[in-house]
Amino acid sequence: MRALSALILLLSLASLAHGQTTDARRVLRSFDFEERQLGNVEPLPMNWVKVEGDAQPHYVNGQLASDRARSGKYSFRYDLNGGSLVYRYESGRIKIERDAHYRVEGFCQTTPMAHARVRMTAYFTDLDHRPVEASIVRSEPFVSPAGNRDWQKIAVELTATDPDATYLVVELSLLQPAIYRPTTLGKQALFPQDIRGSAWFDDIKVSQVPQVTLSTDRPGNIFRPGDSRRVGVLVNDKFTDDLSAQLVITDADGKSVYQRSGVLDMTGAQVLGPNRKHVTMSLPELPAGWYEAHLVMSSGGHYVGEQELAFIQLADRWPLRGSMPDARFGVTALDLPFDGWDELPELLPYLSVGRVKLAVWSASGDIESVDSIRFDTLLEQLQAMGVAPTACLTEPPPEMNQRLGGLGWPGLLKAPKEAWQPQLSYLLARHANHLDRWQLGADGTDAFVTDPAMRQVYHAVYAEFANLLMKPDLAMPWPAWYELDGEMPATVALSVPPSVLPSQLPLYMDDLTAQRTAQASGGATGAPPALSVSLQLLDAKQYGRQMQIRDFAERIVYALAGGAARIDVPLPFTVKRHGQGFSKQPQELLMIVRTLMTTLSGATYKGKMPMAEGIEAFLFDRAGQGIVVLWDRSAVPGKASGETVKQLTIDLGERPARIDLWGNTTPLLANPGAADGKMLLSVGAMPTILVNVDAPLAQMRASVSIDNPLLESSFKPHERHLRFSNPYRQAISGQVKLRAPNGWTLNPPTFTFSLNPGETFDREIAIEFPYNSFAGPKTLDAEFAVQADKNVNFTVPITVTLGLSDVGIQTIALREGNDILVQQMITNYGNEAIDYNAFAICPGQARQERLVTDLGPGRTMLKRYKFSNVNLPPNGRIRSGVKEQIGTRILNEEVPVQ
């Protein structure tokens, strides 16, 4: 009886060690580490073996522990004392089947650690227990945040496609950076590490699960109106009769817009091979937008897998408004693997781009050695579409890099010319008929700034280009925040980071253009180098998707307004590898790129169009059609309190329409309260596009200006010139009436005009304003009554700024009980010393003054005021300013009391 009892105990313990299954067909092993109750008195769980190796000390161990557990009482705890710790469930204990798909999942948590991380690894071994290297998969390194004791799920998936795969091995690790963080420094690398720290693992499960792949029959998963919306589900699994599926579709905000659950109907499935079936699921009709389909699979009520598929529903069919490829617009596809290039001819027409950047040399190889025939076919297809490829030499190919001593591009300067010149010459000679634009290095790199040798590399490669090509177009990437000195390259690929504001783009472009012009006039031969702008995106996770979209749209508009000849944006697809293949998922930004580039394709920038205070409006013309891109620069998209929208009443022509950034077109309706047929227009933070705008009328509005919008704050008349042009094809006449803020005087306030086509109106006006006018922007309204091919009336706001060019003040007013403290910072921006009287005025209190005497150029003086026993409401304001001691100049401002 004692022997029988011992045998039963051993069998129970072995059953637990090998994992009791909740579903014998799918769960191969389940480790809950509840082994004490079955008699395991050892410190370690059954059949888990410690892995020995470098930086894995023998005195660092794991154990069954009861201080933390996700389920039951026990977990598997790792305790560090420096070094790393790995335990393995060894080969030979979990036998697998060929072509089956497996998931290893579990839960973990850690103490806060600065450097060490938890990781799960799984792989197959052959019959002799040798690892199948290609099958190794690892989870992302994880550590619990401080104060967080939630259990984190970790999981990996792998498919037994290798014919030698026989067993499955699982490793649970707590690793220092020396193991999990890659480095190119080899033994010279220095890694920090955590001396103390603990990790807990629990509820580890090894399952054979369905391998599910979602796809559509549309290129890039892009659906147009009228397309049949179907998703193909490829199931690779031994068992399909017990599968249930839940399809959930979410929009770009993560909100669920559709859900369907039920048993996966495999009766009409197409059999593609052993254990492989394909079934089709229909998608609902959805408004235009970006969506993500989530297919959650379960078997017998147990979760067995989930797949996501991003897709786009367009608002209209391609081509969009008759647009054609525009050579100014391009996409950067340097991260797209060679195998993904075949779909570019189907995807690029959606964007109306005229260029695409491809990495013909990279760390992955040379396109000539990968598949030169397919590349020739692609070049012919792109040429037929009107798309010009830019061949980028991002890195030396692996074979060449070996000949360069493994040093990358700098090794080219030390190696013999035979190590790289023949391969480059062959590439140029083979594709000279289809490739005329090249780039050395990837966009965004600062190697040409930080490493002077890279400039020498560029000149050496360019010299080889010049031996084979006439006027070679070889671009050099250059970060916008560095000044480009020395000899200019043939083409500059200006990389603009998100830290550069969209409105600053023209400044960087103008600065680089000035350097090019100066070099050309300084005796340099040939034309000045061309300018290409490569735009980088705001981080949507940090700033939000709406802010990323707005910022991107503004960058495109400002780059066009700055005269950029080439504008490159990242290819709006997310590329992910899956085993031997990869998937391309469209990003929401694809819709934004498509709308902007198709609408502005072939359009010429005509100037900024005054509409209202705070409204940025850029006017473009395409074959006589006016296009306006506008937004409210003071509004914030997606603000929790709700985005403010300004309502404008404006004359834009007979049939204008607005297009949002997602491609939705809406006709503008006449304002019911306006008898002159003006349109009611809502303007918010997100840029919007107006099309079918009356181009001559819009251009005339854009031409209205004051020659110098800065008005010196002095009590005397200011002479300015009012200007506007006639963009119509016939003579026009009419009247313009100027209206100023209350108390201001304009002389004369009214003009009549008669202009021939192309003629400019230029008249002098005198502007006077009250002595106590506050500094800052002011608006003069120019009311036009024009007689042209039709009579039109419109009002153009003209913004002028009241201030002093050489004096600035900054004032802050603080409440301290019943007292108010005021502090002024007065700065002299001029070239000579100044003498002013500074003052502060509080309602109900006596005016206080301070002397500002002999304040030198570039100096700042601080003045303080105190108003006692003040009865000022919470929203009260203080007037502050300075007045010239001898002269008429005065500067007033009003600040709130904080």
Side-chain angles (χ1 to χ4, degrees):
M1 290 296 294
R2 292 179 179 176
L4 180 60
S5 299
L7 179 60
I8 292 174
L9 178 60
L10 288 174
L11 290 175
S12 300
L13 190 58
S15 175
L16 177 65
H18 287 97
Q20 293 288 350
T21 64
T22 58
D23 184 343
R25 294 196 302 176
R26 294 200 178 276
V27 180
L28 306 182
R29 293 289 185 277
S30 181
F31 306 97
D32 59 10
F33 303 112
E34 302 298 320
E35 302 182 11
R36 293 289 187 235
Q37 60 187 0
L38 296 177
N40 180 16
V41 296
E42 297 296 327
L44 293 176
M46 288 286 290
N47 299 318
W48 286 86
V49 179
K50 183 179 176 181
V51 178
E52 303 291 341
D54 294 340
Q56 295 171 236
H58 66 87
Y59 52 82
V60 178
N61 297 293
Q63 61 180 313
L64 290 171
S66 59
D67 54 341
R68 297 189 190 184
R70 179 177 177 271
S71 63
K73 185 178 179 180
Y74 290 91
S75 64
F76 191 9
R77 189 182 77 196
Y78 289 21
D79 296 309
L80 288 182
N81 187 10
S84 299
L85 182 58
V86 181
Y87 279 90
R88 175 186 297 152
Y89 195 75
E90 289 196 304
S91 173
R93 300 190 177 277
I94 305 178
K95 188 173 177 59
I96 54 94
E97 297 186 19
R98 174 73 188 279
D99 293 327
H101 189 66
Y102 296 89
R103 175 189 293 112
V104 184
E105 61 185 355
F107 295 86
C108 69
Q109 63 173 259
T110 73
T111 57
M113 291 179 288
H115 309 293
R117 298 291 185 267
V118 162
R119 190 172 72 183
M120 173 188 284
T121 303
Y123 56 90
F124 298 122
T125 61
D126 62 15
L127 195 59
D128 296 322
H129 309 296
R130 292 173 299 193
V132 178
E133 297 292 338
S135 69
I136 298 176
V137 291
R138 298 180 175 91
S139 66
E140 290 295 324
F142 168 77
V143 67
S144 298
N148 186 342
R149 293 188 60 169
D150 294 337
W151 287 86
Q152 170 72 21
K153 184 176 182 179
I154 54 175
V156 293
E157 295 189 11
L158 61 170
T159 305
T161 56
D162 193 287
D164 294 329
T166 307
Y167 301 106
L168 190 149
V169 176
V170 180
E171 293 180 356
L172 301 178
S173 311
L174 180 55
L175 306 175
Q176 302 287 1
I179 295 180
Y180 74 79
R181 185 180 299 166
T183 179
T184 58
L185 298 179
K187 295 182 179 181
Q188 297 179 353
L190 298 177
F191 291 99
Q193 63 172 302
D194 288 299
I195 302 302
R196 300 296 181 185
S198 297
W200 292 260
F201 298 91
D202 204 356
D203 295 334
I204 308 298
K205 185 168 62 176
V206 181
S207 307
Q208 186 268 310
V209 297
Q211 182 183 22
V212 180
T213 304
L214 299 182
S215 62
T216 70
D217 59 354
R218 297 296 308 163
N221 302 336
I222 302 171
F223 295 100
R224 302 170 298 178
D227 288 344
S228 59
R229 292 174 294 276
R230 295 190 300 269
V231 171
V233 183
L234 177 63
V235 181
N236 184 356
D237 191 43
K238 292 170 54 180
F239 318 107
T240 58
D241 56 333
D242 64 341
L243 292 180
S244 297
Q246 181 186 49
L247 179 65
V248 179
I249 299 178
T250 56
D251 62 13
D253 290 318
K255 298 178 181 177
S256 178
V257 297
Y258 177 81
Q259 181 171 324
R260 189 181 75 182
S261 303
V263 176
L264 189 61
D265 185 10
M266 304 297 293
T267 56
Q270 179 184 5
V271 179
L272 302 179
N275 303 332
R276 299 178 72 240
K277 296 182 180 180
H278 184 271
V279 65
T280 301
M281 302 179 68
S282 297
L283 296 175
E285 187 172 346
L286 297 167
W290 180 91
Y291 299 94
E292 192 167 45
H294 305 260
L295 187 67
V296 182
M297 307 291 294
S298 59
S299 171
H302 299 283
Y303 170 86
V304 294
E306 179 177 355
Q307 289 293 325
E308 296 83 27
L309 176 76
F311 66 94
I312 282 176
Q313 176 64 56
L314 296 178
D316 48 18
R317 298 184 67 86
W318 182 86
L320 186 64
R321 288 171 289 280
S323 61
M324 297 297 290
D326 191 324
R328 294 174 299 177
F329 299 134
V331 292
T332 301
L334 300 183
D335 295 330
L336 188 65
F338 294 145
D339 293 341
W341 293 6
D342 291 342
E343 293 186 32
L344 288 174
E346 295 179 298
L347 299 177
L348 296 181
Y350 283 102
L351 305 177
S352 290
V353 295
R355 295 177 297 101
V356 59
K357 286 186 176 181
L358 300 171
V360 296
W361 279 7
S362 68
S364 299
D366 178 356
I367 189 60
E368 291 301 317
S369 60
V370 174
D371 197 333
S372 60
I373 303 300
R374 285 172 58 191
F375 185 50
D376 289 336
T377 302
L378 173 66
L379 293 179
E380 293 173 359
Q381 292 175 315
L382 294 177
Q383 186 178 45
M385 295 164 47
V387 176
T390 299
C392 297
L393 313 175
T394 59
E395 296 181 51
E399 302 83 0
M400 179 186 294
N401 194 38
Q402 291 181 2
R403 298 193 296 269
L404 300 180
L407 301 177
W409 286 124
L412 180 145
L413 301 175
K414 300 179 180 179
K417 196 172 183 180
E418 294 75 18
W420 58 272
Q421 189 272 345
Q423 196 168 344
L424 177 62
S425 298
Y426 180 78
L427 179 68
L428 296 178
R430 179 178 173 83
H431 301 293
N433 293 333
H434 295 102
L435 289 176
D436 58 359
R437 298 177 182 179
W438 302 79
Q439 180 172 308
L440 183 65
D443 291 323
T445 180
D446 60 355
F448 292 93
V449 178
T450 58
D451 188 357
M454 287 296 294
R455 299 290 290 272
Q456 301 177 39
V457 170
Y458 174 85
H459 293 303
V461 174
Y462 183 82
E464 187 60 32
F465 269 77
N467 290 335
L468 300 173
L469 303 175
M470 291 289 294
K471 296 182 179 179
D473 188 344
L474 178 63
M476 183 178 75
W478 192 265
W481 57 91
Y482 290 106
E483 183 177 352
L484 185 60
D485 55 358
E487 185 179 350
M488 299 285 285
T491 304
V492 179
L494 191 68
S495 180
V496 184
S499 57
V500 175
L501 298 177
S503 59
Q504 296 173 336
L505 260 172
L507 301 178
Y508 283 91
M509 295 165 58
D510 289 345
D511 182 60
L512 194 56
T513 301
Q515 294 184 52
R516 293 161 51 202
T517 304
Q519 175 176 303
S521 61
T525 59
L531 175 60
S532 172
V533 178
S534 177
L535 302 180
Q536 300 177 25
L537 307 177
L538 277 181
D539 185 357
K541 292 182 180 180
Q542 180 178 359
Y543 296 96
R545 50 173 285 269
Q546 291 191 349
M547 186 61 75
Q548 182 196 58
I549 290 171
R550 168 180 171 166
D551 181 83
F552 172 77
E554 292 182 10
R555 289 178 188 277
I556 292 291
V557 173
Y558 274 107
L560 286 174
R566 303 175 188 174
I567 304 171
D568 294 311
V569 301
L571 183 68
F573 282 88
T574 301
V575 181
K576 295 182 179 179
R577 279 217 171 266
H578 292 289
Q580 299 300 319
F582 60 92
S583 66
K584 295 186 294 297
Q585 304 279 337
Q587 302 170 2
E588 183 184 16
L589 204 65
L590 184 144
M591 304 186 73
I592 315 304
V593 173
R594 175 180 187 262
T595 301
L596 288 167
M597 292 188 176
T598 52
T599 307
L600 296 175
S601 172
T604 304
Y605 176 64
K606 292 297 184 181
K608 296 184 70 171
M609 191 167 74
M611 281 197 171
E613 183 178 353
I615 301 298
E616 296 282 2
F618 293 77
L619 175 63
F620 298 86
D621 178 83
R622 183 170 68 184
Q625 176 196 16
I627 302 173
V628 180
V629 186
L630 72 165
W631 64 88
D632 182 357
R633 65 171 175 265
S634 61
V636 178
K639 198 173 181 179
S641 59
E643 180 184 331
T644 57
V645 176
K646 291 183 178 179
Q647 301 290 339
L648 306 180
T649 302
I650 190 169
D651 191 338
L652 296 170
E654 296 181 357
R655 292 183 299 277
R658 69 181 301 160
I659 305 173
D660 66 19
L661 293 178
W662 291 263
N664 297 294
T665 303
T666 306
L668 288 179
L669 302 178
N671 184 11
D676 53 5
K678 291 185 177 180
M679 307 294 174
L680 184 63
L681 178 63
S682 301
V683 184
M686 199 63 72
T688 190
I689 305 172
L690 307 180
V691 295
N692 297 329
V693 173
D694 186 329
L697 175 60
Q699 291 182 39
M700 185 172 180
R701 292 177 60 97
S703 69
V704 179
S705 65
I706 291 286
D707 61 334
N708 182 3
L710 175 64
L711 299 179
E712 284 286 316
S713 183
S714 58
F715 194 60
K716 64 178 182 180
H718 297 270
E719 306 296 334
R720 293 294 185 269
H721 283 253
L722 173 67
R723 294 170 180 164
F724 57 88
S725 301
N726 174 17
Y728 290 87
R729 297 182 179 179
Q730 70 274 1
I732 63 173
S733 60
Q735 184 183 71
V736 56
K737 182 181 296 185
L738 300 176
R739 296 191 181 276
N742 291 335
W744 288 45
T745 301
L746 302 177
N747 187 29
T750 304
F751 298 95
T752 59
F753 60 86
S754 179
L755 300 174
N756 292 318
E759 190 176 357
T760 298
F761 177 90
D762 189 333
R763 296 292 186 275
E764 186 177 273
I765 58 173
I767 304 175
E768 298 181 71
F769 44 83
Y771 189 76
N772 59 352
S773 295
F774 293 120
K778 309 293 178 182
T779 301
L780 312 179
D781 289 327
E783 300 175 352
F784 282 84
V786 181
Q787 299 172 4
D789 51 356
K790 64 175 183 178
N791 295 337
V792 292
N793 299 311
F794 59 90
T795 301
V796 177
I798 304 174
T799 301
V800 295
T801 301
L802 185 62
L804 296 177
S805 60
D806 57 350
V807 179
I809 62 172
Q810 291 181 321
T811 306
I812 184 172
L814 302 174
R815 196 184 299 269
E816 188 179 86
N818 293 329
D819 299 339
I820 293 179
L821 305 179
V822 180
Q823 178 175 288
Q824 274 182 339
M825 291 180 62
I826 305 167
T827 304
N828 180 5
Y829 296 109
N831 298 320
E832 298 180 358
I834 58 173
D835 299 305
Y836 277 80
N837 288 329
F839 61 87
I841 302 175
C842 179
Q845 298 285 316
R847 173 189 178 114
Q848 296 187 25
E849 294 191 359
R850 305 284 188 271
L851 286 176
V852 179
T853 304
D854 197 28
L855 181 62
R859 303 293 298 273
T860 297
M861 185 174 289
L862 194 65
K863 297 297 180 181
R864 294 184 176 90
Y865 309 82
K866 181 177 181 180
F867 297 93
S868 303
N869 299 320
V870 177
N871 185 19
L872 199 65
N875 58 348
R877 304 177 75 85
I878 295 292
R879 176 180 291 184
S880 166
V882 292
K883 180 184 179 300
E884 200 172 26
Q885 293 181 6
I886 302 177
T888 60
R889 307 176 81 209
I890 184 171
L891 185 63
N892 289 281
E893 69 173 7
E894 196 175 39
V895 296
V897 179
Q898 302 179 22

